[in-house]
Amino acid sequence: MIDTSPSLALVVVAAALTAVGVYLLLERSLTRVLLGVIFLSNAVNVVLLVSGGRAGGAPIVDYTDEDSMSDPLPQALILTAIVITLGMTAFLLAMAYRSWQLNQHDEVQDDLEDRRVAQRAARDEAAYLSDDDGTTTLEQEAAEVHDETGDDGPPSSGPGTPPSSAPGSHAVPTPEGGDAR
Amino acid sequence: MNGLSLTDLTWAVPLPVVIPLAAAGLALVLWRNARAQGVISVVALSLVLVTSVALLVAADDGPLVLDIGSWAAPVGIDLVADRLSTLMLTVSSAVTLCVLLYSLAQGLADNNAETPVAIFHPTYLVLTAGVANAFLTGDLFNLFVGFEMLLVASYVLITLGGTGERIRAGTIYIVVSLLSSMLFLLAVALVYAATGTVNMAQLAVRLQQIDPDVAFALQLLLLLAFGIKAAVFPLFAWLPDSYPTAPAPVTAVFAGLLTKVGVYAIIRTQTLLFPDGRADDLLMWVALATMLVGILGAVAQNDVKRMISFTLVSHIGYMVFGIALSTEAGLSAAIFYVAHHITVQTTLFLVVGLMERRGGSTSLDALGGLARIAPLLAVMFFLPAMNLAGIPPLSGFLGKAGLIQAGAEVGTPLAYTLVAGGIVTSLLTLYAIVKAWNKAFWQPAPEEPREVALPRGMVGSAAALVVAGVALTVVAGPLYDYTERAAATLRDREQYVTAVLPGGRGEGRSADVTDEARREGGTDRVEEGSDLEDVGPRGGEQPAPPEEETGSDEGTDEGGTP
């Protein structure tokens, strides 16, 4: 049985990668978040590697002595994890690009409804209109809600968040739409 | 039990994963033909439903264990269909089938670029396969793979069409989910470092042998990862932000299934891997906070979709409460509640989708008069809504009553606090639901509603789920018996362990491998067990000072060896 005590060097590497990853993950820009995810996943992969103990020979029967084989399982797990991370990286990149297409930036934006609820609370208003006729006030206010990320004006064309009524703020061509047909 | 295929259904265990995956591939190939895709999806999910019901019946006699590729359990990956997993599988496949029919009807009704059908069907099928894999697997890393399958599919579904609002919401959802996946993978790595296995049955044995503090740390890490997925109290903020923007069927299936997969994972790990209940008090507080904060959020909302998203968060608290009780009654009630909540929450989201279609909005200020113009819709909202709030004859009441009873049986002050919290939450749910009812259905319409005909397929499939929710009440007796047996199985870990690990294995399945492994496994386990006391604590604790030298040595070794 091979020595299974963890290697300090790898643990330090994993810790450093995690720190960098967490820092980047807390950024608002999707591209940096993406980098953070990559760092973080590599940190986890290194931890997986550590979990298998120290390196030995290739785990092939009749090629390496069984006592000096390295543990193949963590390597299989890492390979799986790498493949998954690759897919996620591609997807996040596509999202960052799409976000840039729509908003000219790739920053994570605040939820409008959250801001609306918060503003209502700040003005000490009821959660819904108590009189049944005036429906304009909240919507007018909503139209004035600005996103903190933006010098790009009101981020959404509509007051509410109805998904079916084309909330995309500008008339941007939809490349995915072409695929879909 | 042994012998022919119809009496021994072990061969059918992987079908709920394999069928949707194969169908997803086929649907992707046929991306030009929306009709063919629809047929494939419906046939595949119907087959899954039939298989699940068959497994549900078969698993009542004992867990079915299948070794993938005939490699016996500790070496190979295994699928385990026991009472809990087959029950979850059955409920989830029934719900996914109904949602699929709903989305088909919707796709036929408005064939627009916001719901690109060509992508929808394959992704939806992969999602189903991922959920089934998560329910059936008996291997911690395979559970991670199942999670990833369903998460990746959900990333695509939540950003379907790529509109600005969905990209915004999807970003939050995806980044949070990625983080939880990383934490889960980290937990898997540390579990492997501490015990040298990722097979759950073997973990059940070995986690008892390592330093309890290390085991507790691993438990907390796993709980953290699953807690994000299940959307429990401090970790739920992503859910109400992201769910409401997706198309109605997508939100419905997310609300019904994804959080429940997290709850399932919590149940499985808490009962099988960490039965000593060290995290129970923590879970109790988490459950209380989830219930109360979630429902207060729902009360504050002014948008129906967001409101029921918050009730979703809140009611996860009930399930965690049942798990944290760590008694058979608590577990049984929690499992019953999961089955009830999957059905009801999905129904509500589908019905709200219909309301949005009919009334043109989901804002409670813009809706009105729906009871007059769409009385059927009113009934379809009223029944699941009252069910959710827990009005007596319905299954929501039975689930809550079971939880409260189980809490009272435990009888600690904390348990009674939770019981009180549960009752308050139930009342506040009623308040939030009735508010929505008053505004959307009873108040005079703010403006004269448009004449919109609701597609029959959408109404029909949503109505089928409403009926299913009511049917849960009718069959509550047998169902409760089943969940009690399931809870008993969960508490009796020996049954699971002996079913999975060689030695106690039934006859006939992967026999040659099993026999061999049984002989080796018997000695093997003892040997490694004695090893564990050395390996375990260090793996979890990170390097102790004396290891520094060996550590740096290893670093150079690793460079040199290849």
Side-chain angles (χ1 to χ4, degrees), chain B residues 227 231-237 285-291 293-294 313:
Chain B
V232 296
F233 162 60
L235 312 166
F236 72 90
W285 287 112
V286 164
L288 184 66
T290 310
M291 288 195 278
V293 174
V313 172

Side-chain angles (χ1 to χ4, degrees), chain A residues 48-163:
Chain A
L48 267 172
L49 194 63
V50 173
S51 73
R54 61 187 286 181
I60 302 173
V61 183
D62 298 337
Y63 177 77
T64 313
D65 179 30
E66 278 189 33
D67 289 333
S68 58
M69 278 183 186
S70 44
D71 187 350
L73 187 66
Q75 301 176 11
L77 304 187
I78 292 171
L79 273 181
T80 316
I82 287 176
V83 171
I84 291 173
T85 315
L86 175 76
M88 288 336 304
T89 310
F91 191 84
L92 269 182
L93 271 177
M95 279 231 325
Y97 177 67
R98 180 67 181 157
S99 177
W100 182 83
Q101 243 185 351
L102 290 169
N103 306 321
Q104 315 305 319
H105 61 73
D106 67 344
E107 300 200 340
V108 182
Q109 296 158 56
D110 282 354
D111 188 4
L112 287 184
E113 187 74 23
D114 273 359
R115 307 191 131 232
R116 227 169 285 150
V117 172
Q119 291 189 348
R120 254 194 334 249
R123 287 194 304 270
D124 203 19
E125 284 178 18
Y128 56 92
L129 294 176
S130 50
D131 51 339
D132 289 331
D133 47 352
T135 57
T136 52
T137 50
L138 276 182
E139 295 179 359
Q140 283 167 353
E141 284 154 14
E144 290 162 11
V145 173
H146 284 259
D147 200 298
E148 77 165 35
T149 56
D151 41 2
D152 54 337
S156 171
S157 59
T161 50

Side-chain angles (χ1 to χ4, degrees), chain B residues 181-432:
Chain B
S181 299
M182 297 294 166
L183 286 171
F184 188 10
L185 191 58
L186 185 66
V188 172
L190 295 180
V191 164
Y192 186 75
T195 63
T197 182
V198 285
N199 181 287
M200 291 214 234
Q202 209 171 11
L203 279 176
V205 177
R206 288 195 182 174
L207 279 171
Q208 309 306 309
Q209 299 165 351
I210 65 172
D211 184 348
D213 290 332
V214 175
F216 187 52
L218 294 174
Q219 180 181 13
L220 288 183
L221 194 56
L222 281 173
L223 274 180
L224 183 64
F226 297 145
I228 296 178
K229 290 184 165 104
V232 296
F233 162 60
L235 312 166
F236 72 90
W238 55 272
L239 189 144
D241 267 5
S242 51
Y243 274 19
T245 54
V250 171
T251 317
V253 80
F254 280 17
L257 297 185
L258 297 199
T259 49
K260 305 310 179 301
V261 178
V263 172
Y264 167 82
I266 293 180
I267 295 181
R268 183 60 84 197
T269 48
Q270 290 302 299
T271 54
L272 183 62
L273 305 188
F274 307 101
D276 47 359
R278 260 180 99 175
D280 281 353
D281 283 356
L282 175 72
L283 277 178
M284 289 271 204
W285 287 112
V286 164
L288 184 66
T290 310
M291 288 195 278
L292 292 179
V293 174
I295 203 61
L296 290 177
V299 168
Q301 296 304 315
N302 175 32
D303 179 291
V304 191
K305 269 190 172 178
R306 290 179 62 95
M307 192 199 81
I308 54 177
S309 298
F310 269 105
T311 62
L312 165 62
V313 172
S314 156
H315 285 236
I316 296 289
Y318 282 108
M319 301 161 208
V320 178
F321 172 34
I323 300 167
L325 285 175
S326 269
T327 60
E328 240 167 70
L331 266 181
S332 162
I335 299 169
F336 182 87
Y337 206 86
V338 173
H340 144 80
H341 197 248
I342 289 178
T343 324
V344 166
Q345 196 74 44
T346 312
T347 317
L348 272 179
F349 272 104
L350 289 185
V351 172
V352 167
L354 289 173
M355 283 162 62
E356 183 184 0
R357 250 185 129 74
R358 190 66 188 83
S361 170
T362 53
S363 165
L364 286 177
D365 290 327
L367 283 171
L370 283 178
R372 187 172 48 80
I373 59 176
L376 177 63
L377 195 56
V379 175
M380 282 167 55
F381 179 79
F382 191 76
L383 280 176
M386 289 300 126
N387 203 343
L388 185 74
I391 295 300
L394 297 164
S395 59
F397 167 74
L398 298 172
K400 291 185 181 75
L403 282 171
I404 288 170
Q405 199 177 1
E409 271 171 23
V410 170
T412 58
L414 188 54
Y416 273 114
T417 318
L418 263 288
V419 167
I423 294 171
V424 170
T425 308
S426 176
L427 288 176
L428 283 175
T429 310
L430 187 63
Y431 169 71

Side-chain angles (χ1 to χ4, degrees), chain A residues 1 3-11 25 30 33 37-38 40-45 47-57 71 73-74 76-78 80-81 84-85 88 91-92 95 98-99 102-103 108-114 117 120 127-133 135 138-139 147 156 161-169 174 176-181, chain B residues 31-32 111-119 141 144-145 148 152 155-156 159 161-168 170-172 174-175 178-179 182 185-186 188-190 192-193 197-198 240-241 244-247 299-303 305-306 356 360-362 364-366 431 435 439 443-444 446-447 531 535 538-539 542-543 547-548 550-552 554-555 557-558 561:
Chain A
M1 198 55 195
D3 179 18
T4 50
S5 54
S7 140
L8 182 68
L10 286 181
V11 171
L25 207 61
L30 251 188
V33 169
V37 168
I38 294 173
L40 211 52
S41 69
N42 279 322
V44 176
N45 287 345
V47 174
L48 267 172
L49 194 63
V50 173
S51 73
R54 61 187 286 181
D71 187 350
L73 187 66
L77 304 187
I78 292 171
T80 316
I84 291 173
T85 315
M88 288 336 304
F91 191 84
L92 269 182
M95 279 231 325
R98 180 67 181 157
S99 177
L102 290 169
N103 306 321
V108 182
Q109 296 158 56
D110 282 354
D111 188 4
L112 287 184
E113 187 74 23
D114 273 359
V117 172
R120 254 194 334 249
Y128 56 92
L129 294 176
S130 50
D131 51 339
D132 289 331
D133 47 352
T135 57
L138 276 182
E139 295 179 359
D147 200 298
S156 171
T161 50
S164 66
S165 62
S169 43
T174 326
E176 288 89 341
D179 292 346
R181 290 285 69 83
Chain B
W31 64 277
R32 284 172 193 280
N111 194 5
N112 63 10
E114 279 198 28
T115 47
V117 183
I119 305 167
F141 189 78
F144 170 75
V145 173
E148 285 305 306
V152 169
Y155 299 159
V156 176
T159 54
T163 61
E165 184 58 25
R166 285 184 194 159
I167 290 289
R168 183 201 65 71
T171 311
I172 297 168
I174 290 169
V175 172
L178 276 177
L179 183 68
M182 297 294 166
L185 191 58
L186 185 66
V188 172
L190 295 180
Y192 186 75
T197 182
V198 285
D241 267 5
T245 54
V299 168
Q301 296 304 315
N302 175 32
D303 179 291
K305 269 190 172 178
R306 290 179 62 95
E356 183 184 0
S361 170
T362 53
L364 286 177
D365 290 327
Y431 169 71
K435 188 185 91 179
K439 302 295 283 185
Q443 78 170 344
E447 53 197 69
D531 258 354
V535 181
R538 271 188 232 153
Q542 307 300 339
E547 277 162 23
E548 271 180 45
T550 52
S552 51
E554 276 165 26
D557 270 5
E558 296 205 5
T561 321

